[in-house]
Amino acid sequence: MARAHKYDVIVVGAGGAGLMAARYAAQNPGVSVAVISKLYPTRSHTGAAQGGVGAALGNVSEDHPEWHAFDTVKGGDYLTDQDVADAFAHEVIDAVYELEHMGLPFSRTPEGRIAQRKFGGHTRDHGKSAVERACYAADRTGHMILQTLYQQSIKDQVVFFNEFHVLDVLIEEGTCRGVVAYELATGELHTFHAKSTVIATGGNGRMFKVTSNAHALTGDLTSIVWRRGVPMEDPEFYQFHPTGLYKIGVLLTEGARGEGGILRNADGERFMERYAPSIKDLAPRDMVSRAMFLEIREGRGVGPDKDYIHLDLTHIDAEIIEERLPDITEFARIYLGVDPITEPVPVQPTAHYAMGGIPTTIDTNVITDGENTIVPGLYAAGEVACASLHGANRLGTNSLGDLIVFGRRAGIHAAAYAKGADFEPLPTDAQDRSRAVLDAVRGASGSERASHVRRDLQATMMDHASVFRTDETLSKQVEILKELRDRYRNVSVEDTGRIFNTELMEAVELGFLLDNAEQLVHAAQHRTESRGAHSREDYKDRDDDAWLKHTLVHREDDGSVRIEFKPVTLGRYEPKPRVY
Amino acid sequence: MDTVRITVKIKRFDPEADARPYWAEYPVEARPTDRVLDVLNHIKWEVDGSLSYRKSCAHGICGSDAMLIDGVNRLACKLLVRDVGEIIRVEPIRGLQVIKDLIVDMEPFFDSYKAVLPYFINDDPEPARERLQSPEDREIFDATTKCILCAACTTSCPVFWTNERYIGPAAIVNAHRFIFDSRDQGTAQRFAGALGEANGLWRCRTAYNCTEACPRDIPVTRAIQEVKREMLWRSA
Ligand SMILES: Cc1cc2nc3c(=O)[nH]c(=O)nc-3n(C[C@H](O)[C@H](O)[C@H](O)COP(=O)(O)OP(=O)(O)OC[C@H]3O[C@@H](n4cnc5c(N)ncnc54)[C@H](O)[C@@H]3O)c2cc1C
Ligand code: FES
């Protein structure tokens, strides 16, 4: 295979956001498009999403996009950019219909419409009660979205480079000119020259020990572009989902609580009644995860070590569980040997979703500072990006919506830019940085194993920078990260082969992961307030006077970190205390 | 939790070093609740970094890690140590070319999948809202929407082992998903193509291996029978 490629639009990542971007870019006659993915497209983690995609269709009860926008802003603890939430809540309705038109097999209401159910933080009329807004296909909505979009891409004859691992984004003199990728099957580097590049590479949950995220979610591109001068926006806001299977973190959808599931402590008490009297177990995730942590800390956790909580579905009709929650029922049976129909399931908060990421405008253009200076030719969408839709805490079902709404916008804008632009010349040394990344690991002779450094990273991030944080834990983690980085320099690999050298790639991914941890910890240490998923025990309150602003974490050439801020776009919703 | 001592025998092959595959043995400590994938990770991370296999989600939904475990196609991430014996034998799935250790060339598998036109076909103008479908009509093809393209079924099929051009059960399952969708109009096109050809549907000899192999509990053989019946009915 030739190792130099040229496309008008390159999409990196083949999850929901990437496939949607590719589809829309490819609808422009004369615009050539290719998708690069380190996994085969259908292996992307969008396929793991269970509960649903939120859109105010009103199929089950009255609903309006304005209510959805409000819930998104309030759920995000007012750090959400309100213009983004507005556009999103309106466009997602169309986008869901579009998925249905592509054949997506949604579950159905008795009238034959797309079925909808309740989900955390989604309410009727500005918080009055929970509303059925999550459009679902049993508990495999993400699987169906991923399959449907991939099926469409076969129909549309999209070009794929599968099992190609992107190692560099060629940002030169302020514009993006393409990417460099490592072909797993041959060990060769390929240069992709492009007018527009869309980054859609998903999350970075693997920096934590207990996570719902796939092994592949190592934040590669959030590290790569950071080292190319793009800051990270709001990385301190990392979501812990309340119901991960005890110890292994595999997710049980919030849809389980949407169908009536209840969280109970060791006394059998429905403790969420104390924390969120109006919507109880369906409060936003940050609040529920914190409540669970507090219950455990105060000695009311379940089990011999009093370190988990029960998710109780036993009062729900067995038929409803089998029909609407078949997959998670199976997960509990297989991995914990617990049958949710007859026994409560042991759960604990699990690292789940990055609200922050590569900063973009509402049109998905990547920006480099608080003045919204864009990088021509560079776009980002999906979990990797931060258009500031989710603010300080994402509502369930809003990520799948984000993928289809902003994936679409990215495809449209990337293609429009490509049509009007020329190919900017590539530097002569286009592959140098990528080769350096590989050689750093290949050439090392140290005795350290990547797996040990990764294990220690994951454990310490969990201890010092997860649901609750203090200046003390974060300072400690800053020091630990320095040590881990030193140890990383001593990581070497046994496999010296070229073909499918997965050991080498895991070591490279660990390097990316360390950058992601650094971004998060520094931003978290800086923000001396509690907001959404960022909960500081030494600064318990939200402080709008000082902190109603986005963080931008820059990496300086000497490796140090600089923090800048960016205003939140407000609108019709005045910041108010967030009670449910 | 207490650990148990097990021996993992893995059929290994490095195309850059080995003339032919060989069996390697790894004695390891594992917890009964560990996934076989966790055990492979343990070997890769603590014993021999060069052991190669695909993985991602680690809970049975991405389809990366189908392998032959104790003679049966399984997802390594969906099988626990307590459900296998003290000696576990792990090999690559059969019928696709082995590239390295447990990694096989999946391209022929995906080519067959693509050949059945595995996408929604309906040329009517799109309504403003959703197309309607009753819960009953939706239920008819529910099982076949679960496929994660792991290839466990196809690579357990004796017909596929002897004829790699047979499109295989996974492709037919994905055709079923559309043929029995009340909204789809592409059935004639699919039957006129790869599905109806010599290496299509009619190669199936109902060996049932596929049904047993499916990690998503799709009744694969039944789905294939339904597609056959539909084709006969249409041509009658
Ligand atoms: C278990 C689980 C359940 C969830 N349930 C819901 C839900 O019910 N509703 C909801 O709204 N959200 C849900 N979410 C969140 C949502 O699913 C994810 O945020 C979303 O799917 C991310 O999609 P994406 O397209 O951004 O990335 P992904 O689907 O993760 O895809 C990333 C892509 O990037 C590629 N890639 C990554 N790095 C590289 C690289 N270096 N080079 C080349 N390619 C690369 C990968 O191969 C992959 O194709 C859930 C998440 C999890 C983990
Ligand atoms: S790793 Fe995803 S199915 Fe096993």
Side-chain angles (χ1 to χ4, degrees), chain A residues 201-220:
Chain A
T201 48
N204 53 10
R206 280 282 152 179
M207 71 176 116
F208 293 102
K209 182 174 167 197
V210 176
T211 178
S212 65
N213 281 200
H215 284 287
L217 292 175
T218 47
D220 305 356

PDB file of all heavy atoms in Angstrom, chain A residues 201-220:
ATOM      1  N   THR A 201     -12.199  10.982  18.188  1.00  0.00           N
ATOM      2  CA  THR A 201     -11.558   9.792  18.739  1.00  0.00           C
ATOM      3  C   THR A 201     -12.044   9.384  20.128  1.00  0.00           C
ATOM      4  O   THR A 201     -11.416   8.551  20.778  1.00  0.00           O
ATOM      5  CB  THR A 201     -10.029   9.993  18.776  1.00  0.00           C
ATOM      6  OG1 THR A 201      -9.761  11.266  19.358  1.00  0.00           O
ATOM      7  CG2 THR A 201      -9.432   9.944  17.390  1.00  0.00           C
ATOM      8  N   GLY A 202     -13.143   9.955  20.596  1.00  0.00           N
ATOM      9  CA  GLY A 202     -13.751   9.456  21.826  1.00  0.00           C
ATOM     10  C   GLY A 202     -13.021   9.838  23.100  1.00  0.00           C
ATOM     11  O   GLY A 202     -12.267  10.809  23.139  1.00  0.00           O
ATOM     12  N   GLY A 203     -13.225   9.044  24.157  1.00  0.00           N
ATOM     13  CA  GLY A 203     -12.833   9.438  25.508  1.00  0.00           C
ATOM     14  C   GLY A 203     -11.465   8.989  25.959  1.00  0.00           C
ATOM     15  O   GLY A 203     -10.644   8.521  25.167  1.00  0.00           O
ATOM     16  N   ASN A 204     -11.230   9.162  27.271  1.00  0.00           N
ATOM     17  CA  ASN A 204      -9.929   8.869  27.865  1.00  0.00           C
ATOM     18  C   ASN A 204     -10.059   8.216  29.243  1.00  0.00           C
ATOM     19  O   ASN A 204      -9.200   8.378  30.100  1.00  0.00           O
ATOM     20  CB  ASN A 204      -9.110  10.161  27.960  1.00  0.00           C
ATOM     21  CG  ASN A 204      -9.886  11.261  28.685  1.00  0.00           C
ATOM     22  OD1 ASN A 204     -10.948  11.005  29.265  1.00  0.00           O
ATOM     23  ND2 ASN A 204      -9.378  12.479  28.664  1.00  0.00           N
ATOM     24  N   GLY A 205     -11.154   7.473  29.438  1.00  0.00           N
ATOM     25  CA  GLY A 205     -11.474   6.908  30.753  1.00  0.00           C
ATOM     26  C   GLY A 205     -10.452   5.926  31.290  1.00  0.00           C
ATOM     27  O   GLY A 205     -10.462   5.604  32.477  1.00  0.00           O
ATOM     28  N   ARG A 206      -9.564   5.447  30.420  1.00  0.00           N
ATOM     29  CA  ARG A 206      -8.581   4.464  30.877  1.00  0.00           C
ATOM     30  C   ARG A 206      -7.522   5.059  31.796  1.00  0.00           C
ATOM     31  O   ARG A 206      -6.605   4.366  32.222  1.00  0.00           O
ATOM     32  CB  ARG A 206      -7.941   3.778  29.676  1.00  0.00           C
ATOM     33  CG  ARG A 206      -8.814   2.689  29.109  1.00  0.00           C
ATOM     34  CD  ARG A 206      -8.738   1.410  29.951  1.00  0.00           C
ATOM     35  NE  ARG A 206      -9.968   0.640  29.855  1.00  0.00           N
ATOM     36  CZ  ARG A 206     -10.169  -0.524  30.468  1.00  0.00           C
ATOM     37  NH1 ARG A 206      -9.221  -1.067  31.215  1.00  0.00           N
ATOM     38  NH2 ARG A 206     -11.318  -1.141  30.363  1.00  0.00           N
ATOM     39  N   MET A 207      -7.604   6.345  32.107  1.00  0.00           N
ATOM     40  CA  MET A 207      -6.660   6.873  33.097  1.00  0.00           C
ATOM     41  C   MET A 207      -7.111   6.523  34.522  1.00  0.00           C
ATOM     42  O   MET A 207      -6.386   6.757  35.479  1.00  0.00           O
ATOM     43  CB  MET A 207      -6.470   8.388  32.926  1.00  0.00           C
ATOM     44  CG  MET A 207      -7.633   9.239  33.334  1.00  0.00           C
ATOM     45  SD  MET A 207      -7.212  10.994  33.174  1.00  0.00           S
ATOM     46  CE  MET A 207      -8.358  11.519  31.916  1.00  0.00           C
ATOM     47  N   PHE A 208      -8.332   5.981  34.652  1.00  0.00           N
ATOM     48  CA  PHE A 208      -8.837   5.585  35.975  1.00  0.00           C
ATOM     49  C   PHE A 208      -8.923   4.066  36.103  1.00  0.00           C
ATOM     50  O   PHE A 208      -9.077   3.361  35.119  1.00  0.00           O
ATOM     51  CB  PHE A 208     -10.224   6.191  36.203  1.00  0.00           C
ATOM     52  CG  PHE A 208     -10.225   7.682  36.327  1.00  0.00           C
ATOM     53  CD1 PHE A 208     -10.613   8.478  35.256  1.00  0.00           C
ATOM     54  CD2 PHE A 208      -9.835   8.294  37.505  1.00  0.00           C
ATOM     55  CE1 PHE A 208     -10.620   9.867  35.363  1.00  0.00           C
ATOM     56  CE2 PHE A 208      -9.844   9.679  37.630  1.00  0.00           C
ATOM     57  CZ  PHE A 208     -10.230  10.475  36.553  1.00  0.00           C
ATOM     58  N   LYS A 209      -8.873   3.627  37.360  1.00  0.00           N
ATOM     59  CA  LYS A 209      -8.842   2.181  37.616  1.00  0.00           C
ATOM     60  C   LYS A 209     -10.176   1.505  37.315  1.00  0.00           C
ATOM     61  O   LYS A 209     -10.232   0.469  36.660  1.00  0.00           O
ATOM     62  CB  LYS A 209      -8.472   1.951  39.083  1.00  0.00           C
ATOM     63  CG  LYS A 209      -8.365   0.507  39.454  1.00  0.00           C
ATOM     64  CD  LYS A 209      -7.841   0.383  40.888  1.00  0.00           C
ATOM     65  CE  LYS A 209      -8.030  -1.042  41.385  1.00  0.00           C
ATOM     66  NZ  LYS A 209      -7.933  -1.102  42.843  1.00  0.00           N
ATOM     67  N   VAL A 210     -11.251   2.095  37.812  1.00  0.00           N
ATOM     68  CA  VAL A 210     -12.563   1.502  37.566  1.00  0.00           C
ATOM     69  C   VAL A 210     -13.264   2.361  36.525  1.00  0.00           C
ATOM     70  O   VAL A 210     -13.537   3.536  36.755  1.00  0.00           O
ATOM     71  CB  VAL A 210     -13.409   1.458  38.858  1.00  0.00           C
ATOM     72  CG1 VAL A 210     -14.806   0.920  38.568  1.00  0.00           C
ATOM     73  CG2 VAL A 210     -12.708   0.603  39.902  1.00  0.00           C
ATOM     74  N   THR A 211     -13.528   1.783  35.359  1.00  0.00           N
ATOM     75  CA  THR A 211     -14.089   2.588  34.269  1.00  0.00           C
ATOM     76  C   THR A 211     -15.007   1.767  33.385  1.00  0.00           C
ATOM     77  O   THR A 211     -14.846   0.548  33.255  1.00  0.00           O
ATOM     78  CB  THR A 211     -12.967   3.223  33.414  1.00  0.00           C
ATOM     79  OG1 THR A 211     -13.578   3.949  32.338  1.00  0.00           O
ATOM     80  CG2 THR A 211     -12.037   2.178  32.817  1.00  0.00           C
ATOM     81  N   SER A 212     -15.953   2.465  32.785  1.00  0.00           N
ATOM     82  CA  SER A 212     -16.849   1.846  31.807  1.00  0.00           C
ATOM     83  C   SER A 212     -16.237   1.906  30.408  1.00  0.00           C
ATOM     84  O   SER A 212     -16.835   1.427  29.456  1.00  0.00           O
ATOM     85  CB  SER A 212     -18.178   2.614  31.783  1.00  0.00           C
ATOM     86  OG  SER A 212     -17.949   3.940  31.309  1.00  0.00           O
ATOM     87  N   ASN A 213     -15.089   2.517  30.305  1.00  0.00           N
ATOM     88  CA  ASN A 213     -14.487   2.754  28.987  1.00  0.00           C
ATOM     89  C   ASN A 213     -13.667   1.572  28.501  1.00  0.00           C
ATOM     90  O   ASN A 213     -13.048   0.848  29.283  1.00  0.00           O
ATOM     91  CB  ASN A 213     -13.568   3.975  29.043  1.00  0.00           C
ATOM     92  CG  ASN A 213     -14.315   5.308  28.983  1.00  0.00           C
ATOM     93  OD1 ASN A 213     -13.729   6.336  28.660  1.00  0.00           O
ATOM     94  ND2 ASN A 213     -15.607   5.309  29.287  1.00  0.00           N
ATOM     95  N   ALA A 214     -13.633   1.424  27.181  1.00  0.00           N
ATOM     96  CA  ALA A 214     -12.888   0.341  26.545  1.00  0.00           C
ATOM     97  C   ALA A 214     -11.380   0.522  26.732  1.00  0.00           C
ATOM     98  O   ALA A 214     -10.901   1.631  26.986  1.00  0.00           O
ATOM     99  CB  ALA A 214     -13.201   0.315  25.052  1.00  0.00           C
ATOM    100  N   HIS A 215     -10.653  -0.585  26.565  1.00  0.00           N
ATOM    101  CA  HIS A 215      -9.194  -0.513  26.633  1.00  0.00           C
ATOM    102  C   HIS A 215      -8.633   0.537  25.674  1.00  0.00           C
ATOM    103  O   HIS A 215      -7.601   1.145  25.934  1.00  0.00           O
ATOM    104  CB  HIS A 215      -8.580  -1.874  26.286  1.00  0.00           C
ATOM    105  CG  HIS A 215      -8.698  -2.874  27.393  1.00  0.00           C
ATOM    106  ND1 HIS A 215      -7.944  -2.797  28.542  1.00  0.00           N
ATOM    107  CD2 HIS A 215      -9.485  -3.970  27.540  1.00  0.00           C
ATOM    108  CE1 HIS A 215      -8.258  -3.810  29.344  1.00  0.00           C
ATOM    109  NE2 HIS A 215      -9.193  -4.534  28.759  1.00  0.00           N
ATOM    110  N   ALA A 216      -9.310   0.734  24.550  1.00  0.00           N
ATOM    111  CA  ALA A 216      -8.777   1.620  23.514  1.00  0.00           C
ATOM    112  C   ALA A 216      -8.941   3.104  23.843  1.00  0.00           C
ATOM    113  O   ALA A 216      -8.385   3.957  23.137  1.00  0.00           O
ATOM    114  CB  ALA A 216      -9.453   1.316  22.179  1.00  0.00           C
ATOM    115  N   LEU A 217      -9.703   3.433  24.901  1.00  0.00           N
ATOM    116  CA  LEU A 217      -9.992   4.852  25.146  1.00  0.00           C
ATOM    117  C   LEU A 217      -8.900   5.500  25.981  1.00  0.00           C
ATOM    118  O   LEU A 217      -9.010   5.664  27.194  1.00  0.00           O
ATOM    119  CB  LEU A 217     -11.380   5.010  25.761  1.00  0.00           C
ATOM    120  CG  LEU A 217     -12.488   4.637  24.768  1.00  0.00           C
ATOM    121  CD1 LEU A 217     -13.862   4.671  25.413  1.00  0.00           C
ATOM    122  CD2 LEU A 217     -12.472   5.556  23.537  1.00  0.00           C
ATOM    123  N   THR A 218      -7.824   5.859  25.293  1.00  0.00           N
ATOM    124  CA  THR A 218      -6.611   6.334  25.957  1.00  0.00           C
ATOM    125  C   THR A 218      -6.285   7.795  25.638  1.00  0.00           C
ATOM    126  O   THR A 218      -5.154   8.229  25.847  1.00  0.00           O
ATOM    127  CB  THR A 218      -5.421   5.435  25.564  1.00  0.00           C
ATOM    128  OG1 THR A 218      -5.434   5.235  24.148  1.00  0.00           O
ATOM    129  CG2 THR A 218      -5.531   4.078  26.230  1.00  0.00           C
ATOM    130  N   GLY A 219      -7.246   8.541  25.114  1.00  0.00           N
ATOM    131  CA  GLY A 219      -7.033   9.976  24.936  1.00  0.00           C
ATOM    132  C   GLY A 219      -5.861  10.327  24.027  1.00  0.00           C
ATOM    133  O   GLY A 219      -5.153  11.316  24.265  1.00  0.00           O
ATOM    134  N   ASP A 220      -5.660   9.559  22.969  1.00  0.00           N
ATOM    135  CA  ASP A 220      -4.502   9.785  22.095  1.00  0.00           C
ATOM    136  C   ASP A 220      -4.473  11.198  21.514  1.00  0.00           C
ATOM    137  O   ASP A 220      -3.468  11.894  21.570  1.00  0.00           O
ATOM    138  CB  ASP A 220      -4.503   8.794  20.920  1.00  0.00           C
ATOM    139  CG  ASP A 220      -4.555   7.345  21.375  1.00  0.00           C
ATOM    140  OD1 ASP A 220      -4.513   7.109  22.593  1.00  0.00           O
ATOM    141  OD2 ASP A 220      -4.633   6.468  20.503  1.00  0.00           O
TER     142      ASP A 220
END
